Amino acid sequence: MPKLKMPANLPDPIINENAKIVLNRRYQRKDTEGVVYETTKELFWRVASAIAEEESKYKKSSIKTADLAREFYDLMTSYNFLPNSPTLMNAGTDIGQLAACFVLPVEDDIEGIFDAVKHAAMIHKSGGGTGFSFSRLRAKDSVVGSTGGVASGPLSFLKIFNCATEQIKQGGTRRGANMGILRVDHPDIMDFIKAKERDGELNNFNLSIGLTESFMQAVEKKADFDLIAPNTGEPVGSLNARDVFNILVQKAWESGDPGIVFLDRINRDNPTPQLGEMESTNPCGEQPLLPYEACNLGSINLGKCFAKGTNGKDSEINWDELKRIIHLAVRFLDNVIDASQYPLPQITETVEMNRKIGLGVMGWADLLYQLKIPYNSQTAVDMGERVMKFVQDEARSASKTLAAERGHFPTYVESIFGEANLGPYRNATTTTIAPTGTLSIIAGCSSGVEPLFALSFVRNVMDNDKLVETNPFFEDAVKEADAYSGSLMEEIAKVGTIKKMKHLPEELRSVFVTSMDVEPIWHLKMQAAFQKHTDNAVSKTVNLPANATKEDIWDIYWKAYEYGCKGVTVYRDGSKTSQVLCTGDGD
Ligand code: UDP
């Protein structure tokens, strides 16, 4: 437990009603009887002080631990920045595992496969999510040398991972999430593409197909491509690339799965190619990692960085404040690496070699609402690119400052930064855009870089009362336009959007768009704009109405490739009875 005493004058955090429920249920410490004994103030102090205490081991740091703990406390309780859920849950506790993202290797032998099952169970228990590539497993019906029998193939093992996950609740709180990836040239690819066609099948997995550059070129040329046996490296058949792409699109249209990841692109940006290839990402796709690597994430709430124009000036982003937050957040996340206890020695070793962190953003839609810029506009896309470039430039500059104080990441010299003489940096990567499923509830902001889901909606509260909850920036704007009424809010709550409410002012209707109002092309353009200045990847779902066609999905997958995204996920309204495991609501 942290040693720093809580200052007597520490202010209580202000917690919104939804955050109270989430924090109480899953984040505040409980005794063996399950009774919560930690206040929210104690929670944030536990995290702030545990992360600040790491500072004292760096001799060159002139920052006083107690001052830093207070700064971290204020940073979190102002909701300017929050670290990923495992840090909030476990910092300063005996569990001490603080990272959200892990990738584990799956070797092509029984021992290797079941090692991975066991390691995933250990990670889920501590609150992390795991990604695996099943590409090394030999195809179904190939020969097993040691027994003379036949192999059962990646899919049969995937079911074992899924079942194991089902039984282990993360830290007694939320169910583990997994990513399963198979290279498109694996002989079992067609079975893998169809693996989730039945609702509820493999429900603890997101599946993605690992697409290669040569496959995408074959799709364009309507050419055949070779299937390669992973255990021999020999071609064992071929398929028409266009046919495979069509079935992939068909399945994604039916159920949202599989998504796609562009493996060559991910490896083109691998900062440490000398350590091998990245074959998988974490469960929601935003964090490609090497085998046995982990990464901790944290998100800045952009909605808080708005500066209202005065003296005739236009409203703007408060760049100075954003810069301050970025530098403090990078120090925080670098300290998290040291404070975290990883479940396996191989993970500790890989994490300490590369020291990856993933600083991202949330509240992007809230910021656009305040700036009165429609999400589905080129102005918003340009602004997204500008903001993320700023975040990345400042995060790298903060990482350089840390390198001067603490030394560069140990594999820096042979990394792409060392080779190009850029740096030295403290961290092999600094930026990632996470979904912020739970963090956005705690901070009371829009999630990640997504548009808002609904402007107003009805929430059922405990005694069966219904409360209409409205986005605060929308509420302010409606009042400003003199159009506010309780009945209007109830009307909006029924449909979520004001797109068709012609009696409302045009400016309101163009600025206050929701995810269903935003055409797929703008979802993708926004993802690509943020990806341009993100070291790792961007978590983004392209939401589609129920009547979207297969051609729409074809177009989205193809454009994601053309625009330089690292992967993409689609969700067609009503195509699944339950959403992917990323709402932070777990079970
Ligand atoms: N994650 C997980 N289980 C969950 C939600 C998230 O393992 O139920 C992991 C997963 O690696 C995901 C990452 O946490 O990609 C970040 O998700 P998110 O930003 O939604 O998490 P938060 O910190 O808001 O809880």
Side-chain angles (χ1 to χ4, degrees), residues 27 83-86 100-102 124 127-130 170 174-178 282-287 297 299 434-440 581-586:
Y27 294 71
N84 59 204
S85 286
C101 312
F102 292 79
H124 292 170
T130 40
Q170 285 190 14
R174 59 185 187 178
R175 203 162 35 201
N178 298 297
N282 70 326
C284 303
E286 71 276 14
Q287 188 62 52
L297 313 177
S299 299
T436 70
T438 324
L439 297 191
S440 60
L581 255 179
C582 258
T583 57
D585 212 28

Side-chain angles (χ1 to χ4, degrees), residues 299-303 361-370 375 434-437 439-441 443-454 471-473:
S299 299
I300 292 175
N301 180 359
L302 289 175
V361 297
M362 54 186 170
W364 171 234
D366 289 340
L367 178 62
L368 289 176
Y369 283 166
Q370 293 171 88
Y375 188 100
T436 70
L439 297 191
S440 60
I441 297 175
C445 65
S446 62
S447 56
V449 292
E450 299 287 0
L452 204 71
F453 192 70
N471 175 272
F473 305 109

Side-chain angles (χ1 to χ4, degrees), residues 154-163 165-166 175-176 178 180 191-208 251 254-258 575-581:
L155 259 179
S156 63
F157 291 113
L158 196 58
K159 289 180 186 147
I160 297 174
F161 281 78
N162 190 63
C163 191
T165 305
E166 191 69 36
R175 203 162 35 201
N178 298 297
D191 289 344
F192 191 85
I193 291 175
K194 296 176 190 162
K196 289 189 73 166
E197 62 188 357
R198 264 178 299 160
D199 203 15
E201 197 92 336
L202 296 174
N203 60 331
N204 298 309
F205 267 88
N206 289 327
L207 297 185
S208 274
K251 293 299 150 192
E254 285 168 14
S255 71
D257 269 294
S575 62
K576 238 182 234 176
T577 44
S578 64
Q579 251 287 29
V580 197
L581 255 179

Side-chain angles (χ1 to χ4, degrees), residues 63 72 117 254 337 342 458 544:
I63 303 171
F72 285 164
V117 174
E254 285 168 14
I337 298 174
Y342 302 96
V458 177
L544 296 159

Side-chain angles (χ1 to χ4, degrees), residues 402-416:
L402 289 179
E405 272 178 28
R406 307 173 169 190
H408 53 66
F409 63 93
T411 56
Y412 162 74
V413 178
E414 307 82 37
S415 75
I416 55 166

